[in-house]
Amino acid sequence: MFFQLVGVVGLEIHAQINSSTKLFSGAPVRFSAPPNSLVSFFDASLPGTLPVLNKRCVEAAVMTGLALNCAINRKSLFDRKHYFYADLPAGYQITQQRLPIAVDGVLTYSLLGGKKRNQVMRKNVTIKQIQLEQDSGKSLHDDVRSQTLIDLNRAGVGLMELVMEPDMSCGEEAAAAVRELQLILQALGTCQGNMSEGQLRVDANVSVHRPGEPLGVRTEVKNINSIRYLARAIDYEIQRQIDVLQRGGTVQNETRAYDSKSGETLPMRDKEGLQDYRFMPEPNLPPLILYEDNASLPTGIDACQVVVVQKIKEGLPELPSVKRDRLVQTYGILPEHSFTLVNEDGLVDYFEAVLKTTKKEPRKVIGWVTNELLGHLKQEDMSVCQSPISPSALAELLELQETGHISSSVAKQVFQKMWRSPGKTALQITQEQDLGLVSDTAQLHSICQKVVDSSGNKKVLNKLMGLVQKETKGRADPVLVRAILQKKTS
């Protein structure tokens, strides 16, 4: 029966290594530099030039492998992968086809599930391998003049190719896995992960089958440049393949591109004639040897000249999953709030900085940070570091509320005014606009009496409290008001 068909998704991800120079040459790496301004003789593949391996790129790959629980190969090899394309001057790419730098890893990612989407579901995807390789140049097609222009700035930039096994079943899972990987890479500093600048490029291998049966024919969806589009492209492709099979057709083994405007995947080229890349060992690079620790170094070798795995392991930062667990344990916040904090660059530091200078409970502070602050930032498309309200300024506002100087509704008004008038403190705004809590008993008695007299229904206490707050513009002390109204209506 056809309804049993389910999607199977594997990913190939190219992550641009965060390095100041290229993988095998000293040419600098910089986004949007003038065309062909960052090209060494080796990048242009001039005769007689030789590759020199960039140590920083090797360390980045090892660090990434360790963070993804991979086995790090103490010996890995470089290979030539031959194909002829205008933006690949040498006619081959240097990669690691036979023996990559890292293998057999696991990426644990989490999804929010359940009816209210507030249950954290953890899933694993196997990392088959991580390999070092060169990027190609860029072809710019000029349709007006019917010509193709080549920019070799990107040629030779260091990449890590991460191959994920087909352990996922839908777009949402793939998107969550890539987002988690992006956060890990950014925490490590091994890749900036900016998808709009091509620093993280994802190809999805998608097929459908009935559980328990062999995997179906797969298509490869390329050119996916955002996590949101990744989920949409995969879900569209799964549904397309199910529709094809239900109509009695067969799924073609082909490469497809995702069109974000139409939300569809479109055929690019079929994979019938499987390309022979004629892999061969790279003759100009010896095997890459890594050392476990300083004790395993051969005599006479300077530790600065080699890559020592133990040293990199000791320098690993706090990873996103550990950070989320720590936030939940330390502050008693909900797991879904820990996701919001960690997923937004700089928000954890902001939240913890606020907590340092206020006595307010973390569970109350989190609402201000994830609702008020983040809501305003998203509305104006700003990052956390651009916030006009500093952590200490927000802490001062929360202290005023906590110590009973202002009500919660006034605190929100003050927040709005602080957002529009950076530099003005919560105390200044409260004093200038006379927003402090009204605690004068005689004054409150008179206001409450007025409200009770004019209100038809004297039994609805909350309604009466609302009318008093309206009368005082949210400045009445709610505890006092409730006590006075209870006396007056009893």
Side-chain angles (χ1 to χ4, degrees):
M1 289 172 74
F2 286 113
F3 65 83
Q4 293 177 323
L5 285 167
V6 294
V8 178
V9 182
L11 300 175
E12 290 172 19
I13 299 167
H14 288 92
Q16 183 182 311
I17 297 170
N18 185 17
S19 167
S20 56
T21 54
K22 295 185 182 180
L23 183 57
F24 297 116
S25 81
V29 175
R30 203 166 58 248
F31 183 69
S32 72
N36 297 306
S37 61
L38 310 174
V39 187
S40 72
F41 291 155
F42 175 78
D43 304 328
S45 195
L46 298 186
T49 54
L50 293 170
V52 177
L53 184 56
N54 179 341
K55 187 185 172 200
R56 157 68 190 157
C57 292
V58 176
E59 289 171 338
V62 171
M63 188 179 256
T64 304
L66 290 170
L68 295 171
N69 311 294
C70 291
I72 307 297
N73 284 326
R74 299 299 176 257
K75 175 184 175 182
S76 60
L77 304 170
F78 289 99
D79 304 285
R80 289 184 179 182
K81 176 183 181 179
H82 293 84
Y83 58 96
F84 297 100
Y85 210 67
D87 53 25
L88 193 75
Y92 61 83
Q93 174 197 41
I94 301 178
T95 179
Q96 291 193 303
Q97 193 254 346
R98 289 169 299 160
L99 195 54
I101 195 162
V103 292
D104 301 332
V106 174
L107 169 66
T108 302
Y109 63 96
S110 301
L111 294 165
L112 291 175
K115 282 183 183 172
K116 293 182 180 173
R117 296 192 63 75
N118 60 358
Q119 286 175 302
V120 177
M121 302 188 304
R122 295 198 176 197
K123 300 206 167 195
N124 291 333
V125 56
T126 305
I127 309 284
K128 184 186 175 193
Q129 64 191 58
I130 299 175
Q131 62 198 47
L132 282 166
E133 60 186 34
Q134 297 167 295
D135 206 346
S136 58
K138 197 172 182 181
S139 297
L140 302 148
H141 305 293
D142 182 348
D143 293 331
V144 178
R145 296 180 186 151
S146 301
Q147 61 182 4
T148 296
L149 304 169
I150 304 295
D151 179 8
L152 294 178
N153 280 348
R154 214 174 61 186
V157 167
L159 299 177
M160 293 179 281
E161 183 182 359
L162 297 97
V163 180
M164 292 185 183
E165 295 284 16
D167 297 339
M168 294 157 283
S169 61
C170 63
E172 188 186 12
E173 287 184 8
V178 172
R179 178 63 182 133
E180 188 67 13
L181 176 67
Q182 189 181 37
L183 288 170
I184 290 169
L185 296 174
Q186 288 167 342
L188 298 172
T190 56
C191 169
Q192 290 174 347
N194 185 336
M195 292 183 87
S196 62
E197 291 186 7
Q199 293 167 353
L200 203 64
R201 308 198 282 277
V202 184
D203 299 337
N205 293 309
V206 182
S207 64
V208 297
H209 77 138
R210 290 187 190 86
E213 291 187 7
L215 297 181
V217 176
R218 68 186 168 101
T219 58
E220 185 177 16
V221 185
K222 294 184 94 71
N223 300 349
I224 308 172
N225 62 2
S226 89
I227 290 175
R228 194 168 75 246
Y229 291 158
L230 172 68
R232 289 179 189 170
I234 289 170
D235 288 339
Y236 174 86
E237 184 56 23
I238 289 171
Q239 194 53 52
R240 186 192 70 82
Q241 291 186 19
I242 290 173
D243 292 345
V244 166
L245 293 171
Q246 284 181 341
R247 288 197 304 269
T250 54
V251 174
Q252 299 298 312
N253 177 220
E254 61 185 354
T255 302
R256 298 176 74 88
Y258 177 66
D259 180 351
S260 58
K261 287 190 179 72
S262 67
E264 299 173 344
T265 63
L266 306 167
M268 284 170 72
R269 54 179 185 269
D270 67 51
K271 292 193 150 192
E272 285 295 308
L274 203 61
Q275 200 168 351
D276 178 12
Y277 290 117
R278 295 179 299 119
F279 284 102
M280 63 170 272
E282 168 52 67
N284 293 324
L285 285 165
L288 171 57
I289 307 295
L290 308 176
Y291 296 94
E292 181 56 42
D293 49 32
N294 284 344
S296 62
L297 291 180
T299 48
I301 284 196
D302 182 0
C304 298
Q305 298 298 312
V306 294
V307 174
V308 180
V309 175
Q310 188 58 39
K311 190 177 165 194
I312 294 172
K313 198 179 281 182
E314 287 163 6
L316 285 176
E318 183 180 49
L319 294 175
S321 58
V322 178
K323 188 173 278 189
R324 281 193 285 265
D325 291 344
R326 175 177 67 78
L327 290 167
V328 171
Q329 295 294 321
T330 311
Y331 303 117
I333 62 173
L334 296 171
E336 59 262 38
H337 285 150
S338 74
F339 273 85
T340 308
L341 287 177
V342 173
N343 281 12
E344 207 61 46
D345 192 29
L347 203 57
V348 172
D349 294 339
Y350 190 102
F351 172 67
E352 295 193 309
V354 173
L355 288 178
K356 281 195 183 98
T357 44
T358 177
K359 296 183 188 73
K360 207 169 179 69
E361 274 180 47
R363 289 186 82 143
K364 289 181 181 171
V365 173
I366 193 78
W368 280 89
V369 171
T370 58
N371 297 336
E372 305 301 320
L373 179 80
L374 199 54
H376 277 71
L377 290 171
K378 295 270 187 227
Q379 216 171 339
E380 300 190 26
D381 199 22
M382 292 162 76
S383 61
V384 176
C385 62
Q386 294 171 309
S387 167
I389 299 177
S390 68
S392 57
L394 179 58
E396 185 194 344
L397 170 64
L398 299 186
E399 273 301 285
L400 285 176
Q401 188 196 338
E402 192 66 12
T403 51
H405 286 83
I406 57 173
S407 66
S408 57
S409 57
V410 165
K412 288 184 178 173
Q413 289 175 42
V414 174
F415 183 90
Q416 302 273 13
K417 292 181 167 72
M418 287 167 72
W419 188 272
R420 288 194 294 271
S421 324
K424 276 203 171 180
T425 68
L427 188 60
Q428 278 175 316
I429 292 168
T430 306
Q431 287 171 344
E432 279 172 18
Q433 306 199 7
D434 191 23
L435 294 170
L437 220 53
V438 176
S439 303
D440 181 333
T441 319
Q443 192 184 350
L444 285 178
H445 264 286
S446 125
I447 294 167
C448 287
Q449 191 62 53
K450 186 179 158 193
V451 165
V452 169
D453 291 344
S454 60
S455 173
N457 191 344
K458 295 180 172 49
K459 294 294 172 202
V460 188
L461 196 62
N462 284 349
K463 189 185 176 195
L464 294 174
M465 283 189 70
L467 291 168
V468 172
Q469 291 295 6
K470 195 175 174 186
E471 192 74 24
T472 59
K473 296 188 178 135
R475 291 166 50 227
D477 183 334
V479 180
L480 262 175
V481 169
R482 182 175 283 273
I484 293 168
L485 286 172
Q486 275 171 337
K487 270 187 187 172
K488 290 190 181 294
T489 57
S490 58

